[in-house]
Amino acid sequence: MKPINVGLLGIGTVGGGTFTVLSRNAEEIARRAGRPILITVVADKNVELAKTVTKGACRITDDAFAVVRDPEVDIVVELIGGCGVAKDLVLEAIRNGKHVVTANKALLAHHGNEIFAEAQKMRVIVAFEAAVAGGIPIIKAVREGLTANRIEWIAGIINGTTNFILSEMRDKGLSFDTVLKEAQRLGYAEADPTFDIEGVDAAHKITILSAIAFGTPMQFDKAHIEGISTLQALDIKYAEQLGYRIKLLGITRRTPDGIELRVHPTLIPSKRLIANVEGAMNAVLVQADAVGSTLYYGKGAGAEPTASAVIADLVDVTRVHTADPENRVPHLAFQPDQLVNLPILPMDKVESSYYLRMRVWDEPGVLADITRVLADEKISIDAVIQKEPGEGEDEADLVLLTHRTREKLINESIARLEKLPVVVGKVTRLRMEGLGK
Ligand code: HSE
């Protein structure tokens, strides 16, 4: 049968993996897709690299715009990344009637609304399984597998670099800075790891998951984002002593007042399966009304795991591109005219449990002073540990876990606690999620 022709933009790690897997499993993939899927042209600024990877199997060019306008190309795979030229190329491909497969989470989180509107107009598909959690088919699962459900919340470890760093900090008791250098040496973290460690990459991904879970447009600009760069090894240790692990979670939850959309380090009970996801692995936990909770685990990055998702999209597009657009799975899971612009809840209104650590004088009445502040705000305490002062010290670490409360109340309490003479310096505040039903 006549092959479907693919133009590949970018032959770096994921592009190279896509080329390799598509060649290696060509026969198996064609049996599934119903026809061969052929990369006929590759565009990359590094033409020599492209030649080395493709070994003469297809055309090479450094002009990506020629590819998206090429009448012979049916599907454009965009693996350049970022919101610069990638955006122009994706829009140009759509306007030229090409279906697009992309792994570009930043592009979709920032410009997805414009891109999907354009795709809708041009009656083409924009597929993006590889944009969230690499090889884990989480887009497919949420958009199609769970389609009977009212989704309640999603919580995911969706950045492998930070999960690797947190695992190493916990295992070896090392500081963030030391582990980050190790992660860079091993090639896990980018030379500029800002997007990973400051939570931006995870925020891109949870923005996409939130949109397909609740049928809303992308609302990245309203996401609350905190990374792990100021997290202290001490808090990881105390959390562990209390039966918790700290993970960088992307969380999105439906509440009566709006949608929560947030990324931050989070204490989760060690007994939860997701708490035991270690190293660079990813996992996404979805709570939905009919099925209950489901957990998806796997590699969130890397050449072949991400290629696995890219190629799954290529097969999907190959199978359904001739169907009427009205009969295809909608881009954001819900029919485009059924998207609802639900508000994103401001953090002040978000409810969570909290871990508070403070340095306090070691003398009678201190605990009473502190608990009075929390009682005044109607915040209930779940657990307290006070560490013995070190040799010759007259201050000790006090750690409190609270029951669920509004973030506004905890922030007001912290402001009051920091004014108490018995509390020395700042209070460290981390959010906690039970992740049960
Ligand atoms: N930088 C990402 C991570 C992988 O560390 O998980 C690509 O999304």
Side-chain angles (χ1 to χ4, degrees):
M1 202 173 186
K2 186 174 164 297
I4 195 154
N5 294 335
V6 176
L8 177 62
L9 311 182
I11 195 147
T13 305
V14 179
T18 302
F19 197 90
T20 306
V21 176
L22 209 44
S23 314
R24 189 175 69 225
N25 296 343
E27 210 179 300
E28 197 91 341
I29 291 165
R31 282 174 59 209
R32 291 194 171 108
R35 59 196 277 199
I37 297 174
L38 213 59
I39 295 178
T40 52
V41 54
V42 170
D44 200 290
K45 276 192 294 201
N46 190 341
V47 170
E48 287 314 309
L49 171 72
K51 280 186 187 156
T52 311
V53 177
T54 56
K55 298 187 184 78
C58 66
R59 282 187 293 128
I60 308 288
T61 174
D62 62 358
D63 183 0
F65 281 95
V67 174
V68 302
R69 293 173 188 141
D70 185 338
E72 298 298 313
V73 167
D74 303 303
I75 310 173
V76 169
V77 176
E78 184 274 306
L79 299 174
I80 295 171
C83 295
V85 70
K87 181 185 175 203
D88 298 334
L89 286 165
V90 164
L91 286 171
E92 185 67 10
I94 293 169
R95 287 174 188 139
N96 279 276
K98 315 291 182 206
H99 303 286
V100 174
V101 172
T102 178
N104 193 335
K105 59 255 163 178
L107 179 65
L108 295 180
H110 286 278
H111 304 290
N113 299 329
E114 179 187 351
I115 288 168
F116 294 127
E118 199 63 23
Q120 196 65 26
K121 199 166 90 192
M122 294 302 299
R123 302 169 71 82
V124 296
I125 302 166
V126 175
F128 52 94
E129 183 63 70
V132 182
I136 306 175
I138 189 65
I139 300 295
K140 189 90 166 173
V142 173
R143 196 166 55 180
E144 298 175 49
L146 300 180
T147 201
N149 290 263
R150 185 172 161 86
I151 293 175
E152 292 161 10
W153 52 260
I154 298 181
I157 296 172
I158 43 183
N159 182 268
T161 304
T162 45
N163 204 51
F164 170 80
I165 292 173
L166 292 176
S167 299
E168 289 288 291
M169 285 174 77
R170 186 180 68 85
D171 274 357
K172 302 185 179 154
L174 297 172
S175 73
F176 170 81
D177 291 328
T178 309
V179 182
L180 174 61
K181 285 197 192 95
E182 176 70 356
Q184 282 172 315
R185 196 182 62 74
L186 290 171
Y188 282 117
E190 308 282 332
D192 177 3
T194 319
F195 269 27
D196 289 319
I197 64 175
E198 297 306 344
V200 178
D201 176 73
H204 289 147
K205 295 168 181 167
I206 198 70
T207 297
I208 297 171
L209 287 177
S210 183
I212 64 168
F214 305 124
T216 65
M218 301 286 175
Q219 306 198 62
F220 174 77
D221 54 333
K222 304 200 188 84
H224 174 84
I225 310 174
E226 283 173 41
I228 62 164
S229 59
T230 57
L231 194 69
Q232 302 205 12
L234 187 65
D235 293 310
I236 295 177
K237 189 174 85 182
Y238 289 165
E240 176 134 62
Q241 289 170 4
L242 287 156
Y244 294 84
R245 299 247 168 112
I246 300 182
K247 297 290 180 187
L248 183 73
L249 288 189
I251 300 173
T252 187
R253 177 185 275 117
R254 190 202 297 266
T255 79
D257 302 321
I259 302 282
E260 293 179 8
L261 184 59
R262 48 192 171 108
V263 172
H264 49 72
T266 314
L267 275 78
I268 46 182
S270 312
K271 64 182 181 205
R272 296 268 176 261
L273 272 177
I274 193 170
N276 295 281
V277 171
E278 299 289 7
M281 300 303 280
N282 279 200
V284 183
L285 183 57
V286 183
Q287 180 71 35
D289 68 341
V291 71
S293 48
T294 51
L295 178 65
Y296 309 82
Y297 170 84
K299 289 187 177 153
E304 295 206 4
T306 313
S308 166
V310 168
I311 296 167
D313 276 347
L314 282 172
V315 172
D316 260 359
V317 175
T318 303
R319 285 175 179 150
V320 304
H321 73 290
T322 50
D324 286 341
E326 295 73 23
N327 296 331
R328 297 179 192 146
V329 178
H331 290 118
L332 293 180
F334 293 70
Q335 298 298 334
D337 62 352
Q338 294 296 313
L339 295 184
V340 184
N341 214 339
L342 294 171
I344 301 294
L345 212 57
M347 281 310 283
D348 257 9
K349 293 196 174 157
V350 164
E351 274 191 10
S352 176
S353 312
Y354 293 88
Y355 162 105
L356 304 178
R357 172 175 59 81
M358 59 206 91
R359 196 93 185 128
V360 297
W361 294 355
D362 186 29
E363 61 175 46
V366 167
L367 206 52
D369 287 351
I370 289 166
T371 52
R372 195 171 310 114
V373 169
L374 296 173
D376 285 351
E377 301 281 3
K378 305 213 165 17
I379 296 171
S380 169
I381 296 169
D382 184 37
V384 183
I385 49 167
Q386 183 177 335
K387 311 306 287 186
E388 276 186 36
E391 190 71 26
E393 287 181 355
D394 49 13
E395 293 167 9
D397 281 338
L398 178 74
V399 178
L400 290 164
L401 305 186
T402 77
H403 285 293
R404 282 183 92 75
T405 183
R406 287 243 154 153
E407 182 131 335
K408 183 173 190 298
L409 299 180
I410 208 81
N411 288 345
E412 286 169 3
S413 306
I414 289 171
R416 284 181 61 192
L417 288 170
E418 287 175 346
K419 287 198 186 108
L420 291 178
V422 298
V423 173
V424 183
K426 293 279 179 200
V427 174
T428 297
R429 182 210 64 188
L430 294 167
R431 300 180 187 89
M432 299 173 44
E433 291 291 336
L435 302 184
K437 169 63 185 127

